[in-house]
């Protein structure tokens, strides 16, 4: 990949002031000034995209702030309530998410997920009964 210098990108814009002087006088914005503004905007957007590409390339394809966290799955309990399973290092965390609050519900050592076909959804009442029994034994 050949490096692109800023001078080679800015060279086409050097002749724009002469274009603005050669344009016909008309009411409103002169065409040369409009063309210069549009090309300047294109140059700025191109530089932003180039810097974003270079940042992604030097970070090894990782997004910002991902670290060692993986989202393994989730379940929507309502329009704005969710339970998610997150892998953090060698731990799995069951996290409850509601508007304005995120709370760890359970943590366990990292394991293996069963195939999706083997997982049968249980009715909510069965899940809630097992959860309340577990909470009763902990206290």
């Amino acid at each position: 990949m050949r490096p692109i210098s800023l001078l080679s990108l800015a060279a086409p814009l050097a002749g724009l002031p002469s274009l603005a002087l050669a344009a016909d006088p008309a009411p409103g914005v002169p065409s040369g000034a409009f063309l210069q503004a549009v090309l300047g905007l294109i140059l700025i957007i191109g530089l932003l995209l180039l810097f974003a590409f270079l940042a992604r390339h030097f970070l090894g394809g990782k997004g910002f702030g991902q670290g060692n966290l993986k989202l393994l799955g989730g379940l929507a309990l309502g329009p704005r309530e969710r339970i998610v399973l997150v892998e953090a290092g060698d731990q799995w965390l069951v996290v409850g998410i509601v508007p304005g609050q995120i709370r760890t519900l359970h943590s366990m050592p990292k394991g293996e997920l069963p195939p999706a076909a083997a997982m049968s959804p249980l009715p909510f009442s069965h899940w809630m009964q097992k959860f309340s029994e577990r909470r009763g034994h902990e206290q």
Side-chain angles (χ1 to χ4, degrees):
M1 178 182 220
R2 197 177 116 211
I4 300 172
S5 71
L6 291 178
L7 291 175
S8 65
L9 290 174
L13 296 177
L16 288 179
S18 63
L19 285 176
L21 295 174
D24 293 336
V29 178
S31 61
F34 179 73
L35 181 63
Q36 187 176 8
V38 168
L39 289 177
L41 182 62
I42 290 172
L43 176 68
I44 290 171
I45 291 173
L47 286 174
L48 285 172
L49 291 174
L50 175 69
F51 290 140
F53 171 77
L54 291 175
R56 188 168 195 78
H57 178 71
F58 287 121
L59 289 174
K62 288 185 179 179
F64 294 101
Q66 284 183 346
N68 292 338
L69 295 179
K70 284 185 191 174
L71 181 64
L72 300 176
L75 175 68
L77 300 177
R80 298 174 65 186
E81 298 84 16
R82 294 186 61 82
I83 293 180
V84 295
L85 180 62
V86 178
E87 181 180 313
D90 59 349
Q91 289 286 314
W92 279 357
L93 304 172
V94 179
V95 179
I97 302 172
V98 297
Q101 189 176 29
I102 299 174
R103 180 171 287 175
T104 303
L105 302 175
H106 185 68
S107 65
M108 61 188 121
K110 182 178 173 181
E112 290 188 22
L113 289 175
M119 295 175 58
S120 63
L122 296 174
F124 181 76
S125 59
H126 185 266
W127 179 83
M128 193 63 178
Q129 181 182 11
K130 287 179 72 174
F131 182 77
S132 61
E133 289 174 1
R134 238 185 300 154
R135 295 284 290 195
H137 290 342
E138 290 177 3
Q139 295 175 357

PDB file of all heavy atoms in Angstrom, residues 71-107:
ATOM      1  N   LEU A  71     -20.537 -10.991  24.168  1.00  0.00           N
ATOM      2  CA  LEU A  71     -21.960 -11.183  24.414  1.00  0.00           C
ATOM      3  C   LEU A  71     -22.340 -12.537  23.841  1.00  0.00           C
ATOM      4  O   LEU A  71     -22.267 -12.760  22.642  1.00  0.00           O
ATOM      5  CB  LEU A  71     -22.771 -10.069  23.759  1.00  0.00           C
ATOM      6  CG  LEU A  71     -24.271 -10.125  23.960  1.00  0.00           C
ATOM      7  CD1 LEU A  71     -24.611  -9.949  25.438  1.00  0.00           C
ATOM      8  CD2 LEU A  71     -24.946  -9.056  23.139  1.00  0.00           C
ATOM      9  N   LEU A  72     -22.728 -13.480  24.707  1.00  0.00           N
ATOM     10  CA  LEU A  72     -23.027 -14.841  24.272  1.00  0.00           C
ATOM     11  C   LEU A  72     -24.487 -15.037  23.904  1.00  0.00           C
ATOM     12  O   LEU A  72     -24.806 -15.887  23.073  1.00  0.00           O
ATOM     13  CB  LEU A  72     -22.635 -15.836  25.371  1.00  0.00           C
ATOM     14  CG  LEU A  72     -21.163 -15.838  25.764  1.00  0.00           C
ATOM     15  CD1 LEU A  72     -20.919 -16.794  26.914  1.00  0.00           C
ATOM     16  CD2 LEU A  72     -20.294 -16.194  24.584  1.00  0.00           C
ATOM     17  N   GLY A  73     -25.366 -14.305  24.537  1.00  0.00           N
ATOM     18  CA  GLY A  73     -26.785 -14.465  24.237  1.00  0.00           C
ATOM     19  C   GLY A  73     -27.606 -13.519  25.072  1.00  0.00           C
ATOM     20  O   GLY A  73     -27.098 -12.846  25.965  1.00  0.00           O
ATOM     21  N   GLY A  74     -28.890 -13.460  24.773  1.00  0.00           N
ATOM     22  CA  GLY A  74     -29.763 -12.576  25.513  1.00  0.00           C
ATOM     23  C   GLY A  74     -31.213 -12.977  25.363  1.00  0.00           C
ATOM     24  O   GLY A  74     -31.574 -13.753  24.480  1.00  0.00           O
ATOM     25  N   LEU A  75     -32.029 -12.440  26.251  1.00  0.00           N
ATOM     26  CA  LEU A  75     -33.450 -12.732  26.262  1.00  0.00           C
ATOM     27  C   LEU A  75     -34.194 -11.453  26.608  1.00  0.00           C
ATOM     28  O   LEU A  75     -33.884 -10.821  27.629  1.00  0.00           O
ATOM     29  CB  LEU A  75     -33.751 -13.826  27.296  1.00  0.00           C
ATOM     30  CG  LEU A  75     -35.201 -14.191  27.544  1.00  0.00           C
ATOM     31  CD1 LEU A  75     -35.787 -14.871  26.315  1.00  0.00           C
ATOM     32  CD2 LEU A  75     -35.296 -15.115  28.741  1.00  0.00           C
ATOM     33  N   ALA A  76     -35.143 -11.068  25.774  1.00  0.00           N
ATOM     34  CA  ALA A  76     -35.945  -9.882  26.057  1.00  0.00           C
ATOM     35  C   ALA A  76     -37.097 -10.277  26.971  1.00  0.00           C
ATOM     36  O   ALA A  76     -37.875 -11.183  26.665  1.00  0.00           O
ATOM     37  CB  ALA A  76     -36.479  -9.287  24.765  1.00  0.00           C
ATOM     38  N   LEU A  77     -37.184  -9.623  28.118  1.00  0.00           N
ATOM     39  CA  LEU A  77     -38.277  -9.888  29.057  1.00  0.00           C
ATOM     40  C   LEU A  77     -39.441  -8.938  28.852  1.00  0.00           C
ATOM     41  O   LEU A  77     -40.548  -9.210  29.292  1.00  0.00           O
ATOM     42  CB  LEU A  77     -37.771  -9.767  30.497  1.00  0.00           C
ATOM     43  CG  LEU A  77     -36.652 -10.725  30.886  1.00  0.00           C
ATOM     44  CD1 LEU A  77     -36.200 -10.453  32.303  1.00  0.00           C
ATOM     45  CD2 LEU A  77     -37.108 -12.163  30.736  1.00  0.00           C
ATOM     46  N   GLY A  78     -39.195  -7.836  28.222  1.00  0.00           N
ATOM     47  CA  GLY A  78     -40.210  -6.833  27.962  1.00  0.00           C
ATOM     48  C   GLY A  78     -39.679  -5.876  26.910  1.00  0.00           C
ATOM     49  O   GLY A  78     -38.622  -6.113  26.325  1.00  0.00           O
ATOM     50  N   PRO A  79     -40.380  -4.778  26.678  1.00  0.00           N
ATOM     51  CA  PRO A  79     -39.916  -3.852  25.638  1.00  0.00           C
ATOM     52  C   PRO A  79     -38.567  -3.199  25.966  1.00  0.00           C
ATOM     53  O   PRO A  79     -37.820  -2.860  25.075  1.00  0.00           O
ATOM     54  CB  PRO A  79     -41.012  -2.810  25.550  1.00  0.00           C
ATOM     55  CG  PRO A  79     -41.843  -2.974  26.761  1.00  0.00           C
ATOM     56  CD  PRO A  79     -41.628  -4.358  27.278  1.00  0.00           C
ATOM     57  N   ARG A  80     -38.247  -3.050  27.249  1.00  0.00           N
ATOM     58  CA  ARG A  80     -36.989  -2.395  27.616  1.00  0.00           C
ATOM     59  C   ARG A  80     -36.196  -3.175  28.660  1.00  0.00           C
ATOM     60  O   ARG A  80     -35.228  -2.671  29.204  1.00  0.00           O
ATOM     61  CB  ARG A  80     -37.291  -0.991  28.134  1.00  0.00           C
ATOM     62  CG  ARG A  80     -37.944  -0.124  27.053  1.00  0.00           C
ATOM     63  CD  ARG A  80     -38.375   1.198  27.559  1.00  0.00           C
ATOM     64  NE  ARG A  80     -37.232   1.988  27.971  1.00  0.00           N
ATOM     65  CZ  ARG A  80     -37.324   3.154  28.554  1.00  0.00           C
ATOM     66  NH1 ARG A  80     -38.499   3.679  28.801  1.00  0.00           N
ATOM     67  NH2 ARG A  80     -36.241   3.811  28.905  1.00  0.00           N
ATOM     68  N   GLU A  81     -36.581  -4.401  28.937  1.00  0.00           N
ATOM     69  CA  GLU A  81     -35.898  -5.237  29.932  1.00  0.00           C
ATOM     70  C   GLU A  81     -35.280  -6.434  29.230  1.00  0.00           C
ATOM     71  O   GLU A  81     -35.916  -7.067  28.398  1.00  0.00           O
ATOM     72  CB  GLU A  81     -36.868  -5.731  31.008  1.00  0.00           C
ATOM     73  CG  GLU A  81     -37.507  -4.640  31.829  1.00  0.00           C
ATOM     74  CD  GLU A  81     -38.730  -4.030  31.180  1.00  0.00           C
ATOM     75  OE1 GLU A  81     -39.281  -4.629  30.230  1.00  0.00           O
ATOM     76  OE2 GLU A  81     -39.131  -2.940  31.603  1.00  0.00           O
ATOM     77  N   ARG A  82     -34.026  -6.725  29.587  1.00  0.00           N
ATOM     78  CA  ARG A  82     -33.310  -7.848  28.977  1.00  0.00           C
ATOM     79  C   ARG A  82     -32.475  -8.566  30.021  1.00  0.00           C
ATOM     80  O   ARG A  82     -32.058  -7.986  31.006  1.00  0.00           O
ATOM     81  CB  ARG A  82     -32.359  -7.360  27.883  1.00  0.00           C
ATOM     82  CG  ARG A  82     -33.048  -6.749  26.689  1.00  0.00           C
ATOM     83  CD  ARG A  82     -32.083  -6.431  25.587  1.00  0.00           C
ATOM     84  NE  ARG A  82     -31.375  -7.583  25.068  1.00  0.00           N
ATOM     85  CZ  ARG A  82     -31.860  -8.428  24.164  1.00  0.00           C
ATOM     86  NH1 ARG A  82     -33.067  -8.253  23.694  1.00  0.00           N
ATOM     87  NH2 ARG A  82     -31.143  -9.440  23.732  1.00  0.00           N
ATOM     88  N   ILE A  83     -32.223  -9.837  29.768  1.00  0.00           N
ATOM     89  CA  ILE A  83     -31.237 -10.614  30.504  1.00  0.00           C
ATOM     90  C   ILE A  83     -30.226 -11.082  29.469  1.00  0.00           C
ATOM     91  O   ILE A  83     -30.614 -11.626  28.430  1.00  0.00           O
ATOM     92  CB  ILE A  83     -31.866 -11.822  31.230  1.00  0.00           C
ATOM     93  CG1 ILE A  83     -32.781 -11.343  32.337  1.00  0.00           C
ATOM     94  CG2 ILE A  83     -30.788 -12.731  31.775  1.00  0.00           C
ATOM     95  CD1 ILE A  83     -33.444 -12.454  33.111  1.00  0.00           C
ATOM     96  N   VAL A  84     -28.934 -10.854  29.727  1.00  0.00           N
ATOM     97  CA  VAL A  84     -27.897 -11.233  28.775  1.00  0.00           C
ATOM     98  C   VAL A  84     -26.844 -12.078  29.461  1.00  0.00           C
ATOM     99  O   VAL A  84     -26.637 -11.982  30.672  1.00  0.00           O
ATOM    100  CB  VAL A  84     -27.245 -10.002  28.108  1.00  0.00           C
ATOM    101  CG1 VAL A  84     -28.236  -9.244  27.258  1.00  0.00           C
ATOM    102  CG2 VAL A  84     -26.627  -9.091  29.128  1.00  0.00           C
ATOM    103  N   LEU A  85     -26.194 -12.921  28.679  1.00  0.00           N
ATOM    104  CA  LEU A  85     -25.091 -13.737  29.154  1.00  0.00           C
ATOM    105  C   LEU A  85     -23.810 -13.173  28.544  1.00  0.00           C
ATOM    106  O   LEU A  85     -23.676 -13.090  27.323  1.00  0.00           O
ATOM    107  CB  LEU A  85     -25.278 -15.194  28.732  1.00  0.00           C
ATOM    108  CG  LEU A  85     -24.204 -16.180  29.161  1.00  0.00           C
ATOM    109  CD1 LEU A  85     -24.123 -16.261  30.688  1.00  0.00           C
ATOM    110  CD2 LEU A  85     -24.478 -17.550  28.573  1.00  0.00           C
ATOM    111  N   VAL A  86     -22.885 -12.737  29.408  1.00  0.00           N
ATOM    112  CA  VAL A  86     -21.656 -12.081  28.977  1.00  0.00           C
ATOM    113  C   VAL A  86     -20.467 -12.919  29.432  1.00  0.00           C
ATOM    114  O   VAL A  86     -20.431 -13.383  30.569  1.00  0.00           O
ATOM    115  CB  VAL A  86     -21.561 -10.656  29.583  1.00  0.00           C
ATOM    116  CG1 VAL A  86     -20.267  -9.982  29.178  1.00  0.00           C
ATOM    117  CG2 VAL A  86     -22.751  -9.821  29.173  1.00  0.00           C
ATOM    118  N   GLU A  87     -19.501 -13.111  28.543  1.00  0.00           N
ATOM    119  CA  GLU A  87     -18.258 -13.782  28.901  1.00  0.00           C
ATOM    120  C   GLU A  87     -17.211 -12.716  29.199  1.00  0.00           C
ATOM    121  O   GLU A  87     -16.909 -11.881  28.351  1.00  0.00           O
ATOM    122  CB  GLU A  87     -17.787 -14.667  27.754  1.00  0.00           C
ATOM    123  CG  GLU A  87     -16.516 -15.425  28.063  1.00  0.00           C
ATOM    124  CD  GLU A  87     -16.090 -16.288  26.896  1.00  0.00           C
ATOM    125  OE1 GLU A  87     -16.951 -16.994  26.334  1.00  0.00           O
ATOM    126  OE2 GLU A  87     -14.907 -16.237  26.544  1.00  0.00           O
ATOM    127  N   ALA A  88     -16.690 -12.725  30.418  1.00  0.00           N
ATOM    128  CA  ALA A  88     -15.664 -11.776  30.840  1.00  0.00           C
ATOM    129  C   ALA A  88     -14.468 -12.576  31.330  1.00  0.00           C
ATOM    130  O   ALA A  88     -14.473 -13.091  32.444  1.00  0.00           O
ATOM    131  CB  ALA A  88     -16.194 -10.864  31.938  1.00  0.00           C
ATOM    132  N   GLY A  89     -13.455 -12.706  30.490  1.00  0.00           N
ATOM    133  CA  GLY A  89     -12.287 -13.510  30.859  1.00  0.00           C
ATOM    134  C   GLY A  89     -12.667 -14.969  30.965  1.00  0.00           C
ATOM    135  O   GLY A  89     -13.137 -15.581  30.009  1.00  0.00           O
ATOM    136  N   ASP A  90     -12.505 -15.559  32.158  1.00  0.00           N
ATOM    137  CA  ASP A  90     -12.858 -16.962  32.361  1.00  0.00           C
ATOM    138  C   ASP A  90     -14.143 -17.101  33.181  1.00  0.00           C
ATOM    139  O   ASP A  90     -14.380 -18.129  33.791  1.00  0.00           O
ATOM    140  CB  ASP A  90     -11.705 -17.717  33.028  1.00  0.00           C
ATOM    141  CG  ASP A  90     -11.336 -17.125  34.380  1.00  0.00           C
ATOM    142  OD1 ASP A  90     -11.825 -16.030  34.694  1.00  0.00           O
ATOM    143  OD2 ASP A  90     -10.573 -17.768  35.120  1.00  0.00           O
ATOM    144  N   GLN A  91     -14.967 -16.068  33.200  1.00  0.00           N
ATOM    145  CA  GLN A  91     -16.243 -16.082  33.927  1.00  0.00           C
ATOM    146  C   GLN A  91     -17.392 -15.794  32.969  1.00  0.00           C
ATOM    147  O   GLN A  91     -17.231 -15.082  31.985  1.00  0.00           O
ATOM    148  CB  GLN A  91     -16.253 -14.990  35.014  1.00  0.00           C
ATOM    149  CG  GLN A  91     -15.358 -15.274  36.189  1.00  0.00           C
ATOM    150  CD  GLN A  91     -15.966 -16.344  37.079  1.00  0.00           C
ATOM    151  OE1 GLN A  91     -17.146 -16.305  37.398  1.00  0.00           O
ATOM    152  NE2 GLN A  91     -15.136 -17.300  37.478  1.00  0.00           N
ATOM    153  N   TRP A  92     -18.540 -16.347  33.264  1.00  0.00           N
ATOM    154  CA  TRP A  92     -19.782 -15.993  32.602  1.00  0.00           C
ATOM    155  C   TRP A  92     -20.612 -15.200  33.590  1.00  0.00           C
ATOM    156  O   TRP A  92     -20.747 -15.580  34.762  1.00  0.00           O
ATOM    157  CB  TRP A  92     -20.556 -17.231  32.175  1.00  0.00           C
ATOM    158  CG  TRP A  92     -20.070 -17.841  30.902  1.00  0.00           C
ATOM    159  CD1 TRP A  92     -19.074 -17.386  30.094  1.00  0.00           C
ATOM    160  CD2 TRP A  92     -20.574 -19.028  30.291  1.00  0.00           C
ATOM    161  NE1 TRP A  92     -18.924 -18.219  29.017  1.00  0.00           N
ATOM    162  CE2 TRP A  92     -19.834 -19.230  29.115  1.00  0.00           C
ATOM    163  CE3 TRP A  92     -21.564 -19.917  30.624  1.00  0.00           C
ATOM    164  CZ2 TRP A  92     -20.070 -20.302  28.257  1.00  0.00           C
ATOM    165  CZ3 TRP A  92     -21.793 -20.983  29.788  1.00  0.00           C
ATOM    166  CH2 TRP A  92     -21.059 -21.171  28.612  1.00  0.00           C
ATOM    167  N   LEU A  93     -21.192 -14.107  33.124  1.00  0.00           N
ATOM    168  CA  LEU A  93     -22.034 -13.256  33.961  1.00  0.00           C
ATOM    169  C   LEU A  93     -23.429 -13.207  33.361  1.00  0.00           C
ATOM    170  O   LEU A  93     -23.590 -12.967  32.167  1.00  0.00           O
ATOM    171  CB  LEU A  93     -21.466 -11.836  34.034  1.00  0.00           C
ATOM    172  CG  LEU A  93     -20.027 -11.688  34.519  1.00  0.00           C
ATOM    173  CD1 LEU A  93     -19.564 -10.260  34.340  1.00  0.00           C
ATOM    174  CD2 LEU A  93     -19.923 -12.119  35.963  1.00  0.00           C
ATOM    175  N   VAL A  94     -24.427 -13.440  34.207  1.00  0.00           N
ATOM    176  CA  VAL A  94     -25.811 -13.245  33.803  1.00  0.00           C
ATOM    177  C   VAL A  94     -26.173 -11.849  34.293  1.00  0.00           C
ATOM    178  O   VAL A  94     -26.117 -11.562  35.489  1.00  0.00           O
ATOM    179  CB  VAL A  94     -26.745 -14.304  34.426  1.00  0.00           C
ATOM    180  CG1 VAL A  94     -28.180 -14.058  33.998  1.00  0.00           C
ATOM    181  CG2 VAL A  94     -26.296 -15.705  34.035  1.00  0.00           C
ATOM    182  N   VAL A  95     -26.509 -10.973  33.351  1.00  0.00           N
ATOM    183  CA  VAL A  95     -26.703  -9.558  33.654  1.00  0.00           C
ATOM    184  C   VAL A  95     -28.134  -9.166  33.306  1.00  0.00           C
ATOM    185  O   VAL A  95     -28.631  -9.488  32.219  1.00  0.00           O
ATOM    186  CB  VAL A  95     -25.702  -8.702  32.848  1.00  0.00           C
ATOM    187  CG1 VAL A  95     -25.905  -7.232  33.115  1.00  0.00           C
ATOM    188  CG2 VAL A  95     -24.278  -9.109  33.168  1.00  0.00           C
ATOM    189  N   GLY A  96     -28.796  -8.484  34.234  1.00  0.00           N
ATOM    190  CA  GLY A  96     -30.122  -7.931  33.999  1.00  0.00           C
ATOM    191  C   GLY A  96     -30.002  -6.470  33.613  1.00  0.00           C
ATOM    192  O   GLY A  96     -29.295  -5.700  34.264  1.00  0.00           O
ATOM    193  N   ILE A  97     -30.692  -6.075  32.546  1.00  0.00           N
ATOM    194  CA  ILE A  97     -30.625  -4.707  32.050  1.00  0.00           C
ATOM    195  C   ILE A  97     -32.036  -4.138  32.006  1.00  0.00           C
ATOM    196  O   ILE A  97     -32.921  -4.696  31.356  1.00  0.00           O
ATOM    197  CB  ILE A  97     -30.001  -4.665  30.646  1.00  0.00           C
ATOM    198  CG1 ILE A  97     -28.607  -5.289  30.668  1.00  0.00           C
ATOM    199  CG2 ILE A  97     -29.941  -3.239  30.118  1.00  0.00           C
ATOM    200  CD1 ILE A  97     -27.991  -5.470  29.304  1.00  0.00           C
ATOM    201  N   VAL A  98     -32.246  -3.051  32.733  1.00  0.00           N
ATOM    202  CA  VAL A  98     -33.501  -2.298  32.707  1.00  0.00           C
ATOM    203  C   VAL A  98     -33.128  -0.838  32.504  1.00  0.00           C
ATOM    204  O   VAL A  98     -31.973  -0.458  32.680  1.00  0.00           O
ATOM    205  CB  VAL A  98     -34.315  -2.486  34.014  1.00  0.00           C
ATOM    206  CG1 VAL A  98     -34.733  -3.931  34.183  1.00  0.00           C
ATOM    207  CG2 VAL A  98     -33.554  -2.019  35.215  1.00  0.00           C
ATOM    208  N   PRO A  99     -34.075   0.011  32.130  1.00  0.00           N
ATOM    209  CA  PRO A  99     -33.734   1.415  31.931  1.00  0.00           C
ATOM    210  C   PRO A  99     -33.116   2.029  33.188  1.00  0.00           C
ATOM    211  O   PRO A  99     -33.676   1.969  34.272  1.00  0.00           O
ATOM    212  CB  PRO A  99     -35.067   2.072  31.598  1.00  0.00           C
ATOM    213  CG  PRO A  99     -35.901   0.962  31.056  1.00  0.00           C
ATOM    214  CD  PRO A  99     -35.456  -0.270  31.785  1.00  0.00           C
ATOM    215  N   GLY A 100     -31.935   2.575  33.032  1.00  0.00           N
ATOM    216  CA  GLY A 100     -31.265   3.245  34.136  1.00  0.00           C
ATOM    217  C   GLY A 100     -30.508   2.338  35.081  1.00  0.00           C
ATOM    218  O   GLY A 100     -29.948   2.801  36.067  1.00  0.00           O
ATOM    219  N   GLN A 101     -30.452   1.030  34.809  1.00  0.00           N
ATOM    220  CA  GLN A 101     -29.781   0.132  35.749  1.00  0.00           C
ATOM    221  C   GLN A 101     -29.303  -1.129  35.034  1.00  0.00           C
ATOM    222  O   GLN A 101     -29.987  -1.696  34.201  1.00  0.00           O
ATOM    223  CB  GLN A 101     -30.731  -0.257  36.874  1.00  0.00           C
ATOM    224  CG  GLN A 101     -30.069  -0.995  38.002  1.00  0.00           C
ATOM    225  CD  GLN A 101     -31.065  -1.262  39.130  1.00  0.00           C
ATOM    226  OE1 GLN A 101     -32.250  -1.396  38.898  1.00  0.00           O
ATOM    227  NE2 GLN A 101     -30.554  -1.336  40.340  1.00  0.00           N
ATOM    228  N   ILE A 102     -28.092  -1.560  35.414  1.00  0.00           N
ATOM    229  CA  ILE A 102     -27.532  -2.835  34.959  1.00  0.00           C
ATOM    230  C   ILE A 102     -27.055  -3.560  36.207  1.00  0.00           C
ATOM    231  O   ILE A 102     -26.321  -2.993  37.016  1.00  0.00           O
ATOM    232  CB  ILE A 102     -26.362  -2.618  33.982  1.00  0.00           C
ATOM    233  CG1 ILE A 102     -26.838  -1.874  32.746  1.00  0.00           C
ATOM    234  CG2 ILE A 102     -25.732  -3.944  33.595  1.00  0.00           C
ATOM    235  CD1 ILE A 102     -25.724  -1.498  31.797  1.00  0.00           C
ATOM    236  N   ARG A 103     -27.486  -4.802  36.391  1.00  0.00           N
ATOM    237  CA  ARG A 103     -27.152  -5.525  37.616  1.00  0.00           C
ATOM    238  C   ARG A 103     -26.733  -6.946  37.271  1.00  0.00           C
ATOM    239  O   ARG A 103     -27.357  -7.616  36.461  1.00  0.00           O
ATOM    240  CB  ARG A 103     -28.368  -5.556  38.536  1.00  0.00           C
ATOM    241  CG  ARG A 103     -28.088  -6.291  39.838  1.00  0.00           C
ATOM    242  CD  ARG A 103     -29.195  -6.125  40.792  1.00  0.00           C
ATOM    243  NE  ARG A 103     -29.133  -4.753  41.296  1.00  0.00           N
ATOM    244  CZ  ARG A 103     -30.029  -4.239  42.097  1.00  0.00           C
ATOM    245  NH1 ARG A 103     -31.058  -4.942  42.487  1.00  0.00           N
ATOM    246  NH2 ARG A 103     -29.898  -3.009  42.532  1.00  0.00           N
ATOM    247  N   THR A 104     -25.657  -7.408  37.929  1.00  0.00           N
ATOM    248  CA  THR A 104     -25.216  -8.796  37.769  1.00  0.00           C
ATOM    249  C   THR A 104     -26.137  -9.692  38.581  1.00  0.00           C
ATOM    250  O   THR A 104     -26.272  -9.518  39.788  1.00  0.00           O
ATOM    251  CB  THR A 104     -23.761  -8.960  38.246  1.00  0.00           C
ATOM    252  OG1 THR A 104     -22.933  -8.069  37.516  1.00  0.00           O
ATOM    253  CG2 THR A 104     -23.287 -10.377  38.042  1.00  0.00           C
ATOM    254  N   LEU A 105     -26.768 -10.656  37.920  1.00  0.00           N
ATOM    255  CA  LEU A 105     -27.692 -11.564  38.596  1.00  0.00           C
ATOM    256  C   LEU A 105     -26.980 -12.826  39.079  1.00  0.00           C
ATOM    257  O   LEU A 105     -27.322 -13.370  40.122  1.00  0.00           O
ATOM    258  CB  LEU A 105     -28.838 -11.949  37.655  1.00  0.00           C
ATOM    259  CG  LEU A 105     -29.666 -10.783  37.112  1.00  0.00           C
ATOM    260  CD1 LEU A 105     -30.683 -11.303  36.104  1.00  0.00           C
ATOM    261  CD2 LEU A 105     -30.341 -10.036  38.237  1.00  0.00           C
ATOM    262  N   HIS A 106     -26.002 -13.272  38.316  1.00  0.00           N
ATOM    263  CA  HIS A 106     -25.302 -14.511  38.675  1.00  0.00           C
ATOM    264  C   HIS A 106     -23.967 -14.544  37.942  1.00  0.00           C
ATOM    265  O   HIS A 106     -23.841 -14.021  36.838  1.00  0.00           O
ATOM    266  CB  HIS A 106     -26.161 -15.718  38.274  1.00  0.00           C
ATOM    267  CG  HIS A 106     -25.604 -17.034  38.707  1.00  0.00           C
ATOM    268  ND1 HIS A 106     -25.537 -17.414  40.024  1.00  0.00           N
ATOM    269  CD2 HIS A 106     -25.103 -18.069  37.983  1.00  0.00           C
ATOM    270  CE1 HIS A 106     -25.017 -18.631  40.098  1.00  0.00           C
ATOM    271  NE2 HIS A 106     -24.738 -19.045  38.875  1.00  0.00           N
ATOM    272  N   SER A 107     -22.956 -15.154  38.556  1.00  0.00           N
ATOM    273  CA  SER A 107     -21.687 -15.384  37.877  1.00  0.00           C
ATOM    274  C   SER A 107     -21.308 -16.842  38.050  1.00  0.00           C
ATOM    275  O   SER A 107     -21.634 -17.463  39.059  1.00  0.00           O
ATOM    276  CB  SER A 107     -20.590 -14.471  38.424  1.00  0.00           C
ATOM    277  OG  SER A 107     -20.323 -14.782  39.763  1.00  0.00           O
TER     278      SER A 107
END
